[in-house]
Amino acid sequence: MSKLEIAIWVSNLKKCYQNKDVLKDVSFSVPAGTIYALLGSNGAGKTTTIRILTTQMKADSGEMKIEGYNVSKQPQKVHEVIRLTGQFSAVDEVLTGKENLIIMGRLCHLPNPEKRADELLDYFELSVSANQIVSTYSGGMKRKLDIAMSLVGNPKVIFLDEPTTGLDPQSRHSMWKIIKELNRAGVTIFLTTQYLEEAEQLADKIAILDKGVIIAEGTPEELKSYLPQGVIQFLFEDRETLEKAKSLMGDYKTSSIPKEYKLTVVTDGKADTLAQIFSRFYQNKVSIHTFSQLTPNLEDAFLTMIAEREEENQWRSS
Ligand SMILES: Nc1ncnc2c1ncn2[C@@H]1O[C@H](COP(=O)(O)OP(=O)(O)OP(=O)(O)O)[C@@H](O)[C@H]1O
Ligand SMILES: [Mg+2]
């Protein structure tokens, strides 16, 4: 893929606030026309990344390009191709929805700001409330207006900082629909979220940011495949059988819930391995009540990766 087809390119980005490393050597790239999600918990560094990429804050070091423009050296050019919808709403509550859009249109030097405002109100199904002041809007309507504001100047790249935090499930789904539609219209979308489900629903690629470091990156499927695939859960008739089964598992990694007579065994998922486990049970007269194969979800992947990193850090510092 040529450099021009990369919408966002970040290399070795570092930022420290008052001696605290908030972003530690972050690198990634986002192909044009795709949705990229930066997933992380509170304080991971998501908003800081967005603020730096949208030129509101300077990086300590690193190189960043948006649509080929250097973020530190060509901020004006970057402004022409991007829009940002922040974690906290930027709309003016005492103006109407339409007035907000018209002002934004003027700031973007559009020839006909009113026409663009009407188009966007229509697109976001806000026409009926166009002339009401924004303080009377619901949370979901405000978010829609926020996104509409960011679309006024037909940007190529949109940054959405936690676009659905605090929305009810219905408004969240309608926001997902809007984000997907924008992307279908060719806009590259960079979003941050604390919700795995949101990243999984929307993103072509997800990066997991933990304490300023990208600890994993990939498609939702790739992230899930980091986890062992052959996790089997056995259910036994009683505790005694469970304990016996557990003692037969030798080198396999296991965990059990004694009260529920459940044993979980991590295998490599190969048929030979499974056959070997079953035959050990059979030869030792351990009867299995039921068994099932567990499918890892993204949440497991996320938690496992964070836990592994914590263990590693403890090991390093000890
Ligand atoms: N202006 C500032 N001065 C000092 N520290 C800051 C400043 N802004 C952010 N931080 C710290 O930087 C870290 C990352 O903050 P950031 O806002 O980027 O996180 P976030 O991933 O967006 O979190 P959230 O999900 O809560 O929005 C946090 O530890 C935060 O306390
Ligand atoms: Mg934030």
Side-chain angles (χ1 to χ4, degrees):
M1 187 179 283
S2 83
K3 260 251 153 88
L4 264 185
E5 286 171 284
I6 296 293
I8 307 174
W9 183 79
V10 175
S11 171
N12 307 107
L13 167 61
K14 291 184 189 161
K15 176 78 190 174
C16 135
Y17 284 126
Q18 296 143 7
N19 298 331
K20 185 180 171 206
D21 289 331
V22 173
L23 294 174
K24 307 167 198 168
D25 210 2
V26 168
S27 301
F28 60 87
S29 66
V30 182
T34 63
I35 304 185
Y36 192 89
L38 195 59
L39 175 70
S41 5
N42 286 123
K46 303 182 296 296
T47 299
T48 305
T49 307
I50 285 205
R51 288 178 65 97
I52 291 171
L53 289 176
T54 55
T55 77
Q56 299 170 78
M57 183 188 277
K58 281 201 181 338
D60 294 340
S61 62
E63 204 183 335
M64 293 137 287
K65 284 185 183 165
I66 297 197
E67 290 282 319
Y69 298 120
N70 186 303
V71 174
S72 338
K73 297 181 186 143
Q74 299 168 285
Q76 208 50 47
K77 288 285 182 194
V78 170
H79 290 170
E80 284 169 22
V81 293
I82 65 163
R83 281 304 164 263
L84 162 71
T85 303
Q87 189 169 6
F88 305 103
S89 173
V91 294
D92 193 333
E93 301 252 335
V94 299
L95 299 177
T96 68
K98 186 163 172 175
E99 284 165 347
N100 266 293
L101 289 167
I102 291 174
I103 290 173
M104 186 57 98
R106 288 196 190 122
L107 288 173
C108 294
H109 308 292
L110 295 188
N112 192 344
E114 190 150 342
K115 180 164 167 272
R116 183 72 180 137
D118 285 333
E119 278 170 13
L120 288 165
L121 288 162
D122 186 42
Y123 182 82
F124 286 98
E125 296 168 347
L126 289 170
S127 300
V128 184
S129 326
N131 297 314
Q132 280 176 27
I133 61 166
V134 173
S135 58
T136 65
Y137 283 20
S138 70
M141 287 161 78
K142 272 187 213 160
R143 286 295 167 96
K144 281 189 187 173
L145 184 63
D146 249 339
I147 296 205
M149 298 271 281
S150 66
L151 291 178
V152 167
N154 292 312
K156 291 200 164 141
V157 181
I158 293 188
F159 291 88
L160 301 169
D161 196 4
E162 300 198 25
T164 69
T165 298
L167 295 188
D168 63 42
Q170 198 188 344
S171 309
R172 172 166 298 155
H173 278 95
S174 84
M175 190 58 76
W176 288 352
K177 213 171 122 212
I178 290 170
I179 293 171
K180 282 181 188 160
E181 274 170 19
L182 289 178
N183 177 244
R184 265 197 290 276
V187 184
T188 305
I189 295 170
F190 182 94
L191 65 91
T192 71
T193 181
Q194 303 191 27
Y195 305 116
L196 286 151
E197 192 196 355
E198 179 156 297
E200 191 170 11
Q201 278 284 329
L202 293 176
D204 296 299
K205 225 173 197 185
I206 301 172
I208 299 181
L209 186 69
D210 180 47
K211 301 192 186 83
V213 177
I214 292 185
I215 58 170
E217 192 200 32
T219 62
E221 285 311 313
E222 281 166 351
L223 291 182
K224 280 187 223 172
S225 73
Y226 278 100
L227 278 176
Q229 298 300 301
V231 181
I232 316 284
Q233 191 167 67
F234 294 98
L235 178 65
F236 300 101
E237 299 283 358
D238 52 42
R239 194 159 169 167
E240 199 184 324
T241 319
L242 162 72
E243 295 300 341
K244 188 167 175 192
K246 201 172 163 185
S247 71
L248 292 170
M249 285 302 91
D251 289 344
Y252 293 107
K253 215 171 157 183
T254 61
S255 67
S256 60
I257 312 174
K259 266 192 214 154
E260 296 175 23
Y261 318 142
K262 268 183 192 162
L263 178 70
T264 305
V265 184
V266 180
T267 77
D268 56 10
K270 289 188 181 139
D272 281 357
T273 312
L274 302 186
Q276 198 192 48
I277 292 175
F278 280 98
S279 110
R280 263 190 222 178
F281 286 159
Y282 180 75
Q283 280 167 10
N284 290 281
K285 300 194 172 48
V286 168
S287 80
I288 302 162
H289 184 62
T290 52
F291 71 93
S292 54
Q293 178 145 4
L294 303 182
T295 322
N297 61 28
L298 203 54
E299 180 140 15
D300 298 329
F302 183 56
L303 297 173
T304 306
M305 279 181 251
I306 288 183
E308 274 175 5
R309 197 168 154 253
E310 244 144 50
E311 260 173 42
E312 225 171 82
N313 288 345
Q314 274 168 10
W315 181 78
R316 278 210 194 105
S317 61
S318 64

